[in-house]
């Protein structure tokens, strides 16, 4: 399918003038900077890598402290922080979702930094039964223990974000959840996995989970019909997390994102720029980000850079963490040559 | 469930009706067509016709010119929530609106006719189902799925659309085609490459209710294996409100006197909160009310299809 690239200026102009509330019952102000076509992160982007070999509270807390300190982490004091993990579905013994223990450790970190209200928010993609998924993945227990809200984005109040200058774009308008739009600080915590359609799934693709199921269904099939790379970039271009963390403690290789095998990478990746974090995580997985179609497109969208010379890495070198993830046959071409970081 | 328990569900629904006459999925959230429709059904069953009428007034504001209904008055497009509105309008005796919705639903198409022969061949090989069988999608001109197809079949059957209708026949064929060989259904992919996917209680319940509504019986292997999967799942005591409620309706659709019916009903009862609600969710509370008291609002004659 042929796509036309989107000019960044068009994106910014369109969004600046035409976002409005569709469902006015609980209209909340949109957080400044969350809806923006512009990459907030100047080049070179700053990415932190932290070794994290298991999900024990002590190990997680140490790694989170390190990454939070070395990356451009947001000021959360007295602010409403919304955390968006990746909980696409649940299968016992498969590392499909961002591990709930990591999220609990992050909540504790945010509390230690004086965060105000903290909300966990996700819209599982395949299954309307979010109650079951949240329960079985341990998120219901975490929310209860830490006294934070757990919002099912599939049923959240929504606003309709329209783009008048949709030239060739698939999403002329997008329904977005108020919980996300009203966040003071929005943090994406993705899982490091291979993906049967996209090659890899990391922070940028994690953003597809914010699309509310009640408007797009289960699965959110419109993104498949529109093309996954383009859909990822259009949604990730609309809503930019203030900070991203990638859970590579145990990821998934092979036939991901649901049916692959566990792969221990023993690492957390942090950044204020999703594309820079994803490019770094891809390199750790032995994948060349330039060969991943949606990352290449994201760079053209102005969402940041995949180039290693545009990314400063703190906490260790990619080579010291590199653990090649098995790639299924259609995606073997994504493999990065050893020690090559274009 | 005791009358007190049912009454407290109704009280929760009544006390959380929005000023526009509708209900959302949470207390105080914006009104939407699906939760409003189910609350109307529960209120009608409980004899609360005046409040149900206010809900009908809300639904009327969501109707679209070509005959469909949006998710809310602000939705520019007609939506999948039409299935729920059809159930509500039928129960309210609003035949004109029901007829209009039936017409829209029968014209609401998936993307099966957009697929190339290569698409169909690849899907059959990788996912082992036939994507050329049409059913109902969640959004127009995308793929048909098990749950959306089931919901529309249930509503159309309850509204009296003949089972011989071409789309009814195709919809139930889709469900049978998407079944998981080991028993039950998931969202709609029985396989992914070499992996057989897991069934889920909610998808299986919906598919079974829809197949019962379209004249299938437990003499069919797919139904029997689905019921067995569901029985095992529901007894795990690890299920959600929505899965237990639809599971209860599914069991009643085939074997209303099964001892499991009372057990699952008890499990569902146990999830009721002190405020009378189920998870503080008007939609789930209304669905639980219907499942526990009056499934005739959703299925026409339990056990005798």
């Amino acid at each position: 399918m042929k796509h036309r690239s989107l000019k960044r200026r068009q994106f910014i102009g369109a969004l600046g003038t035409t976002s409005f509330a569709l469902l006015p019952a609980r209209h909340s102000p949109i957080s400044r900077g969350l809806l923006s076509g512009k990459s907030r992160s100047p080049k070179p982007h700053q990415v932190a890598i932290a070794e994290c070999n298991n999900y024990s509270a002590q190990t997680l807390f140490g790694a989170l402290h390190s990454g939070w300190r070395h990356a451009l982490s947001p000021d959360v004091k007295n602010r409403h922080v919304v955390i968006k993990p990746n909980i696409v579905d649940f299968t016992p013994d498969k590392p499909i979702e961002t591990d709930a223990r990591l999220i609990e450790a992050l909540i504790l970190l945010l509390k230690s930094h004086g965060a105000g209200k903290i909300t966990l928010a996700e819209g599982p993609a395949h299954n309307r039964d979010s109650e079951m998924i949240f329960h079985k993945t341990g998120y219901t227990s975490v929310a209860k223990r830490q006294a934070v809200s757990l919002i099912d984005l599939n049923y959240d109040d929504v606003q309709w974000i329209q783009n008048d200058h949709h030239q060739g774009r698939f999403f002329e308008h997008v329904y977005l959840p108020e919980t996300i739009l009203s966040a003071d600080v929005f943090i994406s915590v993705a899982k490091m996995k291979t993906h049967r359609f996209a090659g890899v799934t990391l922070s940028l693709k994690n953003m597809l989970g914010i699309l509310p199921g009640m408007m797009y269904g289960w699965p959110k099939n419109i993104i498949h019909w529109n093309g996954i790379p383009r859909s990822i970039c259009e949604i990730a271009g609309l809503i930019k997390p203030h900070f991203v963390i990638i859970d590579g403690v145990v990821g998934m290789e092979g036939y991901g994102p649901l049916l692959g095998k566990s792969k221990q990478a023993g690492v957390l990746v942090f950044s204020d720029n999703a594309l820079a974090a994803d490019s770094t995580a891809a390199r750790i997985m032995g994948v060349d980000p330039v060969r991943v179609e949606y990352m290449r497109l994201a760079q053209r969208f102005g969402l940041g850079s995949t180039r290693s010379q545009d990314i400063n890495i703190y906490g260790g070198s990619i080579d010291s963490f590199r653990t090649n993830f098995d790639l299924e046959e259609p995606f073997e071409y994504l493999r990065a040559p050893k020690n090559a970081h274009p | 469930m005791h009358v007190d328990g049912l009454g407290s569900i109704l009280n929760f629904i009544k006390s959380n009706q929005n000023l526009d006459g509708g209900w959302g999925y949470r207390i105080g959230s914006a009104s939407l067509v699906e939760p409003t429709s189910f609350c109307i059904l529960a209120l009608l069953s409980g004899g609360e016709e005046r409040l149900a009428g206010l809900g009908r007034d809300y639904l009327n504001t969501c109707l679209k010119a070509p005959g469909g209904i949006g998710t809310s008055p602000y939705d520019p497009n007609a939506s999948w929530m039409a299935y729920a509105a059809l159930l509500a309008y039928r129960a309210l005796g609003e035949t004109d609106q029901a007829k209009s919705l039936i017409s829209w639903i029968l014209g609401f198409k998936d993307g099966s006719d957009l697929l190339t022969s290569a698409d169909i061949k690849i899907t059959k090989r990788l996912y082992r189902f036939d994507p050329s069988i049409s059913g109902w999608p969640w959004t127009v001109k995308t793929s048909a799925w098990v749950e959306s197809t089931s919901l529309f079949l249930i509503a159309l059957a309850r509204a009296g659309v003949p089972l011989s209708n071409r789309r009814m026949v195709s919809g139930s064929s889709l469900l049978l085609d998407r079944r998981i060989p080991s028993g039950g259904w998931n969202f709609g992919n029985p396989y992914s490459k070499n992996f057989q996917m897991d069934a889920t209680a909610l998808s299986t319940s919906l598919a079974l209710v829809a197949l019962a509504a379209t004249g299938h019986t437990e003499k069919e292997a797919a139904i029997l294996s689905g019921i067995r999967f569901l029985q095992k799942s529901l007894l795990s005591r690890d299920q959600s409100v929505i899965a237990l409620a639809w599971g209860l309706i599914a069991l009643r659709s085939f074997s209303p006197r099964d001892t499991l019916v009372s057990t699952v009903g008890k499990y569902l009862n146990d999830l009721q909160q002190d405020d009378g609600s189920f998870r503080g969710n008007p939609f789930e509370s209304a669905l639980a009310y219907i499942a526990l008291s009056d499934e005739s609002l959703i299925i026409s004659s339990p056990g005798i299809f």
Side-chain angles (χ1 to χ4, degrees):
Chain A
M1 193 176 290
K2 190 174 177 183
H3 301 304
R4 283 188 293 169
S5 65
L6 184 66
K7 290 179 183 167
R8 204 186 72 179
R9 290 303 310 167
Q10 293 173 335
F11 222 18
I12 297 167
L15 293 171
T17 56
T18 59
S19 62
F20 62 93
L22 174 65
L23 303 179
R26 290 196 310 119
H27 177 67
S28 303
I30 296 173
S31 173
R32 187 173 290 278
L34 196 57
L35 275 175
S36 170
K38 195 187 290 186
S39 168
R40 280 187 302 272
S41 170
K43 291 175 195 167
H45 304 303
Q46 198 157 316
V47 174
I49 306 175
E51 184 176 357
C52 189
N53 287 315
N54 59 65
Y55 289 109
S56 72
Q58 192 177 0
T59 307
L60 285 167
F61 211 56
L64 283 170
H65 264 293
S66 169
W68 194 263
R69 190 171 64 247
H70 287 116
L72 292 172
S73 53
D75 177 10
V76 298
K77 194 171 175 61
N78 297 323
R79 304 178 86 186
H80 178 203
V81 182
V82 174
I83 302 170
K84 196 275 181 203
N86 180 342
I87 319 176
V88 62
D89 208 337
F90 172 78
T91 303
D93 305 322
K94 291 277 187 194
I96 292 171
E97 74 281 1
T98 306
D99 197 286
R101 290 168 291 186
L102 170 60
I103 296 298
E104 185 157 25
L106 176 61
I107 292 169
L108 291 169
L109 178 82
L110 293 169
K111 285 180 176 176
S112 75
H113 284 272
K117 184 181 173 189
I118 297 173
T119 301
L120 303 179
E122 168 65 315
H126 287 163
N127 195 328
R128 257 194 105 171
D129 196 351
S130 304
E131 181 193 353
M132 183 273 292
I133 293 175
F134 289 157
H135 170 67
K136 291 192 173 177
T137 53
Y139 276 82
T140 303
S141 299
V142 167
K144 195 172 177 185
R145 259 196 313 272
Q146 296 302 327
V148 300
S149 304
L150 174 57
I151 298 294
D152 181 356
L153 295 178
N154 285 330
Y155 296 103
D156 202 16
D157 283 350
V158 294
Q159 293 186 37
W160 193 41
I161 307 301
Q162 186 175 357
N163 188 341
D164 286 339
H165 304 281
H166 52 77
Q167 305 168 18
R169 221 161 297 156
F170 292 122
F171 288 98
E172 294 176 14
H173 59 262
V174 186
Y175 295 99
L176 294 175
E178 278 205 4
T179 296
I180 300 296
L181 294 170
S182 63
D184 295 324
V185 177
F186 178 37
I187 300 176
S188 158
V189 191
K191 191 75 169 173
M192 185 182 281
K193 294 190 290 185
T194 51
H195 192 282
R196 63 188 168 133
F197 296 137
V200 293
T201 171
L202 298 157
S203 311
L204 290 165
K205 191 171 182 308
N206 190 34
M207 296 310 296
L208 295 181
I210 68 173
L211 295 176
M214 68 178 189
M215 308 310 293
Y216 295 102
W218 296 262
K220 300 160 187 181
N221 192 217
I222 195 167
I223 64 178
H224 304 117
W225 281 79
N226 286 349
I228 288 180
R230 185 87 186 182
S231 297
I232 291 171
C233 292
E234 292 193 13
I235 302 304
L238 277 169
I239 291 284
K240 292 191 177 54
H242 297 94
F243 199 64
V244 303
I245 302 172
I246 298 169
D247 172 9
V249 181
V250 177
M252 181 181 282
E253 65 179 1
Y255 197 58
L258 303 177
L259 298 164
K261 294 179 294 180
S262 295
K263 177 73 172 180
Q264 177 154 6
V267 67
L268 298 176
V269 179
F270 306 78
S271 184
D272 64 328
N273 182 277
L275 181 55
D278 285 9
S279 299
T280 303
R283 291 185 171 103
I284 289 170
M285 299 166 79
V287 166
D288 179 358
V290 179
R291 301 182 193 190
V292 179
E293 185 181 353
Y294 74 82
M295 291 195 198
R296 212 167 48 240
L297 191 60
Q299 184 166 286
R300 278 171 39 206
F301 266 56
L303 304 185
S305 177
T306 60
R307 288 183 290 265
S308 54
Q309 61 267 35
D310 292 336
I311 302 170
N312 287 341
I313 294 176
Y314 299 85
S317 69
I318 287 173
D319 288 332
S320 66
F321 285 101
R322 177 165 170 169
T323 309
N324 282 2
F325 279 46
D326 283 348
L327 300 169
E328 288 282 303
E329 189 188 351
F331 291 107
E332 285 171 342
Y333 72 93
L334 298 181
R335 177 70 72 218
K338 208 170 180 184
N339 300 321
H341 306 305
Chain B
M1 177 178 254
H2 294 297
V3 175
D4 284 355
L6 290 171
S8 65
I9 302 176
L10 278 187
N11 285 338
F12 169 79
I13 291 170
K14 284 157 59 179
S15 59
N16 286 289
Q17 188 167 23
N18 289 333
L19 290 175
D20 59 12
W23 290 263
Y25 289 107
R26 292 198 301 261
I27 297 170
S29 68
S31 298
L32 291 159
V33 164
E34 190 188 43
T36 298
S37 298
F38 275 77
C39 288
I40 288 171
L41 293 175
L43 288 171
L44 286 175
S45 177
E48 299 283 352
E49 292 180 1
R50 188 184 69 81
L51 294 180
L54 295 177
R56 176 202 52 219
D57 294 343
Y58 170 80
L59 290 186
N60 288 342
T61 67
C62 305
L63 291 168
K64 301 294 164 196
I69 191 164
T71 55
S72 78
Y74 308 99
D75 191 344
N77 304 308
S79 87
W80 63 272
M81 292 188 187
Y83 93 88
L86 175 56
L87 288 170
Y89 278 127
R90 189 211 66 81
L92 286 159
E94 302 277 0
T95 50
D96 287 347
Q97 280 90 339
K99 280 181 185 171
S100 177
L101 281 175
I102 289 169
S103 174
W104 181 85
I105 290 168
L106 291 174
F108 181 48
K109 290 188 175 174
D110 62 23
S112 56
D113 56 354
L114 301 175
L115 297 173
T116 65
S117 56
D119 294 331
I120 293 168
K121 194 174 170 186
I122 289 169
T123 303
K124 283 182 175 175
R125 181 167 56 83
L126 281 181
Y127 302 103
R128 304 191 204 179
F129 69 83
D130 183 352
S132 67
I133 301 174
S134 68
W136 278 271
W138 295 105
T139 57
V140 68
K141 291 291 181 188
T142 57
S143 303
W145 300 98
V146 164
E147 292 185 10
S148 46
T149 297
S150 298
L151 292 170
F152 281 114
L153 284 173
I154 292 164
L156 290 169
R158 191 66 193 88
V161 174
L163 303 186
S164 58
N165 178 283
R166 182 180 55 82
R167 293 214 59 193
M168 299 285 276
V169 171
S170 183
S172 56
S173 297
L174 180 144
L175 296 181
L176 293 172
D177 185 55
R178 303 280 186 104
R179 72 188 184 280
I180 292 168
S182 60
W185 283 262
N186 61 17
F187 64 96
N189 282 3
Y191 280 87
S192 187
K193 218 165 74 167
N194 298 322
F195 302 93
Q196 187 180 137
M197 304 283 279
D198 293 332
T200 64
L202 176 58
S203 298
T204 300
S205 299
L206 289 169
L208 286 172
V209 176
L211 287 166
T214 50
H216 294 266
T217 72
E218 56 191 307
K219 290 177 183 167
E220 297 170 54
I223 307 281
L224 194 56
S225 63
I227 291 173
R228 283 181 180 150
F229 168 81
L230 189 61
Q231 289 170 333
K232 193 176 164 190
S233 297
L234 296 181
L235 284 176
S236 70
R237 295 230 66 170
D238 205 16
Q239 295 296 338
S240 63
V241 170
I242 192 171
L244 285 169
W246 277 111
L248 189 53
I249 296 169
L251 293 174
R252 281 207 177 117
S253 297
F254 289 101
S255 309
R257 283 170 293 281
D258 191 322
T259 53
L260 190 58
V261 167
S262 58
T263 305
V264 174
K266 181 182 179 311
Y267 289 176
L268 182 56
N269 269 332
D270 290 347
L271 297 178
Q272 188 176 16
Q273 297 179 177
D274 291 343
D275 64 357
S277 80
F278 288 77
R279 299 205 312 143
N281 180 322
F283 167 66
E284 292 184 8
S285 300
L287 176 63
Y289 181 95
I290 293 162
L292 290 166
S293 69
D294 191 4
E295 71 277 7
S296 70
L297 293 160
I298 292 177
I299 52 177
S300 52
S301 300
I304 55 166
F305 289 110

